[in-house]
Amino acid sequence: MRIKQLEYLVKIVAFGSINEAAKHLYITQPSLSNAIKELEEEMGIQIFKRSQKGVALTNDGSEFLAYARQVLEQVDLMEVRYKNKETRRRLFSVSAQHYAFAVHAFVELIRSYEKNEYEFTFRETQTNQIIEDVSTFQSEIGILFLNDFNEKVLQKLLKEKELIFHPLFIARPHVFVSKTNPLVGKPFVTLEDLEDYPYLSFEQGQNNSFYFSEEILSTRYLKKNIRVSDRATIFNFLIGLNGYTISSGVISTELNDENIIAIPLKVEERMTIGWISPSKVVLSTMAQEYLRYLKNHISEYGFSIINEENG
């Protein structure tokens, strides 16, 4: 087994394709395929399932990937310590619902590696795609929320995909509005207060089920309903149309428009926001660092981080 083979493995998982990985590694596709086949033969396992759509990790492959990442991290440490070499090119990906605090933590992580070579990916995407990204190792971590309404359905899906939900914090729902909205100044708003304002939500593509919604209370009837695909557009519509959306209430003052205000929504609902990861895979050092930034940022906004060990 060679270190280069492990690097190849991690690259293939990142791109989900031997073809794409070969292009970025500047080697031929047959050479890369042969290197992985040799690794599989030597280890006595099948790492990838191959199909016309690309490759996917087997159960053995998922476990092997976790060990491969740890080996590469240890090699980095040894080379830096004894050969005065720069650490190898950093690879890390996150998929998330549209939360500014998740972006802010990602920015802080990247800043800490500004002297290194890196290839980071942050995907703000649909709920079902987050689950798919993490289950296929396109992203190491996914960020989404559970509540009483969607938990049973999403937990069933996570179990089928061999993923685990790790709670981060519990949030009371807030509405985001423009600072010029007539509702600004109220200590809280009710659903009745919002009836005549345009409601903005993130569309979920083919999986536009109520259970995959990024917003709570997704089944209620709305007079005015607008679906969009990205956070910047929602903010533009909040300002341009005097609309509103429902979220956690965590606004990153460093990254968000100062024109957006969060107001508590008077409902009994609660959101448990957390992260998902494969059940059989040990997190990389990079993922652990990202979670530290994420928890620190959330704590700075006055939320209590949930300690999983204590429930």
Side-chain angles (χ1 to χ4, degrees):
M1 180 178 64
R2 302 186 304 277
I3 296 300
K4 188 64 70 177
Q5 288 173 306
L6 302 184
E7 293 174 340
Y8 289 167
L9 166 63
V10 171
K11 200 72 169 180
I12 292 170
V13 171
F15 286 99
S17 162
I18 292 178
N19 234 359
E20 288 301 311
K23 291 177 185 176
H24 284 78
L25 290 166
Y26 301 104
I27 61 175
T28 65
Q29 186 269 339
S31 296
L32 183 53
S33 293
N34 288 335
I36 296 301
K37 285 179 182 177
E38 289 173 4
L39 182 60
E40 289 177 318
E41 290 172 2
E42 184 179 353
M43 294 294 105
I45 61 172
Q46 182 183 356
I47 296 174
F48 289 112
K49 290 180 288 188
R50 296 161 176 83
S51 69
Q52 291 182 340
K53 295 181 179 179
V55 294
L57 284 167
T58 63
N59 288 337
D60 285 338
S62 298
E63 186 176 11
F64 188 80
L65 173 66
Y67 285 111
R69 283 176 168 156
Q70 292 178 61
V71 169
L72 291 175
E73 287 176 356
Q74 292 302 314
V75 169
D76 273 351
L77 292 173
M78 290 173 66
E79 290 184 340
V80 170
R81 174 66 177 85
Y82 296 106
K83 297 175 66 175
N84 295 319
K85 286 184 64 175
E86 291 288 333
T87 55
R88 70 183 70 250
R89 186 177 180 84
R90 298 293 185 174
L91 301 173
F92 181 59
S93 297
V94 171
S95 293
Q97 291 177 331
H98 298 75
Y99 298 127
F101 61 82
V103 177
H104 192 171
F106 203 76
V107 168
E108 290 176 331
L109 176 71
I110 294 173
R111 284 174 177 166
S112 71
Y113 284 94
E114 61 184 6
K115 295 181 180 180
N116 300 92
E117 290 188 12
Y118 55 74
E119 190 171 313
F120 291 161
T121 304
F122 189 92
R123 302 178 177 95
E124 277 192 329
T125 188
Q126 299 162 353
T127 303
N128 191 64
Q129 190 60 52
I130 294 168
I131 295 171
E132 188 66 20
D133 286 349
V134 178
S135 68
T136 58
F137 298 91
Q138 299 303 298
S139 288
E140 192 171 352
I141 286 175
I143 300 172
L144 46 75
F145 87 92
L146 298 181
N147 69 347
D148 290 341
F149 176 71
N150 70 9
E151 182 171 11
K152 187 174 181 180
V153 172
L154 292 190
Q155 286 285 28
K156 181 176 182 292
L157 180 56
L158 293 175
K159 185 176 181 180
E160 290 172 356
K161 298 284 188 179
E162 297 186 311
L163 304 176
I164 298 177
F165 178 82
H166 310 265
L168 277 170
F169 69 104
I170 295 175
R172 295 174 179 268
H174 286 62
V175 294
F176 286 176
V177 296
S178 162
K179 70 178 183 181
T180 60
N181 190 294
L183 297 173
V184 172
K186 284 178 168 285
F188 60 83
V189 295
T190 66
L191 294 176
E192 290 73 24
D193 292 330
L194 300 168
E195 280 185 355
D196 294 324
Y197 292 92
Y199 173 65
L200 301 161
S201 62
F202 291 106
E203 62 96 18
Q204 297 295 326
Q206 294 180 344
N207 292 285
N208 204 22
S209 157
F210 294 130
Y211 298 108
F212 288 91
S213 174
E214 293 189 38
E215 301 81 20
I216 64 166
L217 307 170
S218 57
T219 59
R220 67 194 177 97
Y221 173 76
L222 298 156
K223 292 180 182 179
K224 304 171 183 178
N225 190 5
I226 303 170
R227 291 193 178 95
V228 302
S229 60
D230 66 270
R231 192 156 40 90
T233 302
I234 269 198
F235 284 0
N236 288 336
F237 284 173
L238 293 182
I239 297 169
L241 299 175
N242 236 5
Y244 74 95
T245 191
I246 300 176
S247 191
S248 65
V250 186
I251 297 182
S252 173
T253 53
E254 181 175 338
L255 300 179
N256 278 358
D257 196 314
E258 294 178 354
N259 292 314
I260 304 303
I261 304 295
I263 309 173
L265 177 62
K266 191 176 183 181
V267 292
E268 295 301 318
E269 300 280 342
R270 296 293 181 268
M271 306 165 64
T272 301
I273 298 174
W275 55 280
I276 61 173
S277 64
S279 59
K280 297 180 180 179
V281 174
V282 178
L283 288 181
S284 67
T285 300
M286 190 82 68
Q288 293 175 43
E289 289 178 11
Y290 174 69
L291 288 174
R292 281 197 293 272
Y293 283 117
L294 193 63
K295 291 175 181 178
N296 288 341
H297 186 52
I298 291 167
S299 296
E300 287 171 0
Y301 278 83
F303 292 89
S304 298
I305 299 298
I306 296 172
N307 185 332
E308 289 187 77
E309 293 180 0
N310 297 330

